[in-house]
Amino acid sequence: MHYNSLITNAFVICSILLFSVPQSFNQNVGPTVKMTNGQVWPKPALQHIYDEYLTFEPENFNFNNTGYSCDVLQDAFKRYNSMLFLKATNTFKQNTSLSTDSIIGKMEVLNVQLTNPCENYPSLNMEEKYEIKINNSSGLLVATSIWGILRGLETFSQLVYLETDGSTFVIRRTTIVDYPKFRHRGFLLDTSRHYFPIESITKTLDAMSYSKMNVFHWHMVDDQSFPYQSSNFPNLSEKGAFGKSAIYTKDDVRRVIEHAKLRGIRVIPEFDTPGHTLSWGLGGIPGLLTECSDSDTNQFGPIDPTVEKNYNFIRTLLSEVSELFQDNYLHLGGDEVDSSCWTTNKKIQHFMDRNNMKNVLELKDYYFANIFNITRSLETVPIVWEEIFDENIHLDPKAVVHVWKDYYDHSIVSKVMKSGHPVLFSSCWYVNYIKYGTDWPKFYRCDPTSEAGDNPLFLGGEACMWGEFVDETNLLPLTWPRTSAVAEVLWSHTLNETDAKYRIEEHVCRMRRRGIPAEPANGPSYCHY
């Protein structure tokens, strides 16, 4: 066949293919899920939305305080002023989608009324309820506590959005009454397997506040490293941290606590014992860890519960920690204790014989009886992992049980509450487990509410980011928006996955605009602001 004939036939074939594309082709054009505009995450308890809009002149908008004030409130005003009218550099210009008839005026002021003096630090029972009314040229935010004001300011900031013309900020007329479903809405970060710079932690706290999470569970130390710098036992970090540049000083901890406080977030440290303590053994505390055998003195197991001096050490350390951290709660761990060294150590076996202990569980019970005596003397409420309850260890009456096992069986929650102990839940919210594709619904569908009911012993739960394969390079993308799904489960009173997928799409863009590199939520997408 001649060359010209080949070109002619190819042109005809391509034309046929081009103009015979089935109509369904258009279904794959554009984002997989179209984002909402000005919708709130997590979903408010009660909201009435009107088809009327107010525009902004950013230079003429301000927050007007009409109630009590404090440093936390003034800091929040500055922070949200800087976030309200952010524009992305990739904004593309289009005509606005709003008709002029729906625009009823300009938003000039949000009156903020805090009806009680500010509290010093957030706590388990802090009041987070708030009310918002957006009317003609002004709006009103009312709350009885500073923490409610912070949640309301976050909601207000999410109601404001950039129109598709790329230059007009708008807000819909709306009324909101909002409050959380559960009191404890936490995020665990493991800083022992990898050291996280303070900036990564403060950025995480920022992102938590964008989803109204209120507890930072700092799993600071573990087998691999001891980065906490103790003033009483400086060798713990000097020898147990990854290096001198991988240590959290007292000033670092204070900085995290203050950053969290300004966002209404509690900081609860975890010092996990008697297991997960191999790095502690490098700190020069004689007899701290159990020698596994007489023949091999270089192999160590958990903390030796038979050495009285070990309890004095733990008392001094936890006293220092409790004084530094401002929260009343302290996570004691207690999980995954490999007790094989207790069974092979002759000195420990003799101790058990003298004290009529039949097995290592009774020895573990003895250990925690001493630890709970310490936390009671410090007036600290202990939190322990689920194993302590499963093994029938005698718990302090106030002890909180943190449920993390039994992914498909939430009945353990009911068992713990029937025993009279408060519960935290994390079983299916380990966000370090990832897979390709849209996986935030997996976390969203895990809802312990049916087991918890309205029992006040169910405090809430936590998303957990364990750090074996996570450091500052991938922390934020892996955490968000998947942890946002957990946040909505713990805050919102009504869950609707179909509705949520459109709002989480907007929430991802909102977080990116604020400097949080959140991963795509639902597939192909584009943030137009």
Side-chain angles (χ1 to χ4, degrees):
M1 189 178 290
H2 293 291
Y3 183 72
N4 288 341
S5 298
L6 280 171
I7 294 176
T8 301
N9 289 336
F11 178 78
V12 171
I13 292 170
C14 289
S15 298
I16 293 171
L17 290 172
L18 180 64
F19 293 106
S20 61
V21 174
Q23 217 169 1
S24 61
F25 172 83
N26 292 327
Q27 294 175 2
N28 296 320
V29 174
T32 302
V33 173
K34 187 176 180 180
M35 63 181 258
T36 54
N37 287 309
Q39 295 293 313
V40 179
W41 191 281
K43 193 174 185 64
L46 300 167
Q47 182 177 15
H48 190 82
I49 303 174
Y50 302 87
D51 288 325
E52 296 175 336
Y53 297 79
L54 298 155
T55 60
F56 289 85
E57 292 177 351
E59 64 277 8
N60 293 323
F61 173 81
N62 66 87
F63 295 110
N64 178 41
N65 181 33
T66 64
Y68 286 93
S69 185
C70 60
D71 291 344
V72 175
L73 182 61
Q74 295 306 316
D75 181 85
F77 284 165
K78 292 177 184 177
R79 191 167 68 250
Y80 281 101
N81 255 324
S82 67
M83 282 194 295
L84 272 178
F85 305 114
L86 290 173
K87 294 182 182 180
T89 55
N90 62 348
T91 298
F92 59 91
K93 300 285 185 178
Q94 293 186 31
N95 293 327
T96 178
S97 62
L98 296 178
S99 69
T100 55
D101 292 340
S102 62
I103 299 175
I104 60 172
K106 286 185 169 59
M107 182 79 177
E108 297 175 350
V109 63
L110 179 69
N111 293 304
V112 177
Q113 185 179 1
L114 172 60
T115 61
N116 285 300
C118 296
E119 300 163 56
N120 289 330
Y121 286 94
S123 63
L124 174 65
N125 294 316
M126 60 181 161
E127 179 59 70
E128 297 175 279
K129 183 178 180 179
Y130 66 91
E131 296 183 27
I132 288 179
K133 293 181 181 179
I134 306 298
N135 292 314
N136 294 331
S137 61
S138 66
L140 176 64
L141 165 60
V142 181
T144 60
S145 83
I146 183 60
W147 320 120
I149 293 292
L150 292 181
R151 306 300 174 238
L153 286 172
E154 177 58 37
T155 288
F156 175 75
S157 74
Q158 296 185 13
L159 293 170
V160 178
Y161 69 95
L162 185 64
E163 254 296 286
T164 54
D165 65 354
S167 61
T168 305
F169 287 95
V170 298
I171 189 169
R172 291 181 76 169
R173 193 162 75 86
T174 186
T175 59
I176 293 175
V177 178
D178 198 15
Y179 47 92
K181 180 166 58 177
F182 297 118
R183 292 173 283 171
H184 185 121
R185 306 178 305 282
F187 176 71
L188 177 151
L189 180 61
D190 166 17
T191 63
S192 67
R193 274 72 183 220
H194 287 95
Y195 172 83
F196 289 87
I198 292 298
E199 290 71 20
S200 293
I201 296 176
T202 55
K203 204 76 171 175
T204 295
L205 293 168
D206 292 343
M208 288 173 62
S209 72
Y210 303 154
S211 291
K212 298 186 176 71
M213 302 191 87
N214 67 355
V215 179
F216 178 60
H217 175 172
W218 196 345
H219 185 91
M220 188 180 285
V221 301
D222 211 295
D223 283 333
Q224 288 74 17
S225 74
F226 194 103
Y228 169 72
Q229 189 177 68
S230 166
S231 54
N232 288 294
F233 307 102
N235 278 344
L236 287 171
S237 59
E238 187 72 20
K239 298 181 179 180
F242 286 126
K244 292 185 178 180
S245 62
I247 291 173
Y248 299 111
T249 66
K250 292 282 182 70
D251 285 342
D252 290 332
V253 172
R254 291 188 188 99
R255 180 181 166 190
V256 169
I257 293 171
E258 182 66 15
H259 197 90
K261 167 190 168 179
L262 293 173
R263 287 149 185 80
I265 297 173
R266 303 161 59 199
V267 181
I268 297 178
E270 178 181 354
F271 284 77
D272 192 354
T273 69
H276 290 280
T277 51
L278 291 180
S279 66
W280 301 40
L282 302 175
I285 311 297
L288 179 64
L289 300 185
T290 303
E291 292 183 2
C292 291
S293 68
D294 296 332
S295 58
D296 185 0
T297 57
N298 292 317
Q299 186 178 354
F300 294 93
I303 287 176
D304 188 336
T306 68
V307 177
E308 189 63 31
K309 288 183 179 179
N310 287 345
Y311 298 110
N312 295 331
F313 157 72
I314 293 172
R315 180 185 300 276
T316 303
L317 178 63
L318 294 187
S319 177
E320 175 186 324
V321 168
S322 297
E323 186 176 341
L324 176 62
F325 288 84
Q326 298 297 319
D327 205 85
N328 290 331
Y329 286 71
L330 175 64
H331 208 302
L332 300 175
D335 63 314
E336 298 175 331
V337 179
D338 182 357
S339 57
S340 58
C341 289
W342 287 350
T343 61
T344 56
N345 183 291
K346 292 180 180 178
K347 178 176 71 71
I348 289 180
Q349 289 300 304
H350 290 324
F351 178 89
M352 292 175 63
D353 290 341
R354 289 196 306 272
N355 290 276
N356 298 315
M357 295 180 183
K358 301 180 182 63
N359 52 53
V360 291
L361 285 182
E362 292 187 11
L363 182 62
K364 191 174 181 181
D365 192 81
Y366 170 82
Y367 173 82
F368 273 100
N370 281 277
I371 299 301
F372 291 139
N373 282 336
I374 293 171
T375 56
R376 275 193 295 273
S377 69
L378 297 175
E379 298 182 346
T380 299
V381 182
I383 306 173
V384 295
W385 290 109
E386 179 183 343
E387 284 95 325
I388 306 299
F389 178 83
D390 293 340
E391 294 166 351
N392 294 315
I393 302 298
H394 289 90
L395 292 173
D396 181 275
K398 295 181 179 179
V400 178
V401 177
H402 196 159
V403 173
W404 70 277
K405 298 191 297 182
D406 299 321
Y407 183 93
Y408 297 105
D409 180 15
H410 295 177
S411 63
I412 184 66
V413 170
S414 297
K415 292 177 184 176
V416 174
M417 291 191 300
K418 285 179 182 177
S419 74
H421 287 282
V423 179
L424 291 176
F425 180 81
S426 289
S427 293
C428 43
W429 292 332
Y430 275 36
V431 292
N432 52 295
Y433 294 149
I434 62 173
K435 70 179 185 67
Y436 185 78
T438 301
D439 65 347
W440 68 264
K442 174 181 70 174
F443 303 99
Y444 195 85
R445 292 165 190 161
C446 176
D447 181 8
T449 305
S450 59
E451 287 293 329
D454 57 0
N455 193 325
L457 289 174
F458 189 87
L459 304 182
E462 296 180 352
C464 299
M465 180 59 81
W466 297 100
E468 287 87 352
F469 296 94
V470 180
D471 64 11
E472 74 270 21
T473 65
N474 60 350
L475 168 63
L476 293 172
L478 288 179
T479 302
W480 310 100
R482 295 145 87 242
T483 297
S484 299
V486 178
E488 178 147 303
V489 173
L490 291 169
W491 178 282
S492 300
H493 299 259
T494 302
L495 302 178
N496 184 318
E497 186 180 325
T498 301
D499 165 80
K501 71 179 180 181
Y502 300 100
R503 288 184 297 106
I504 203 169
E505 193 75 20
E506 179 183 8
H507 197 48
V508 165
C509 291
R510 182 185 296 125
M511 285 191 284
R512 288 182 185 174
R513 195 168 79 251
R514 296 178 178 184
I516 306 300
E519 287 186 333
N522 299 300
S525 59
Y526 182 81
C527 296
H528 74 260
Y529 61 82

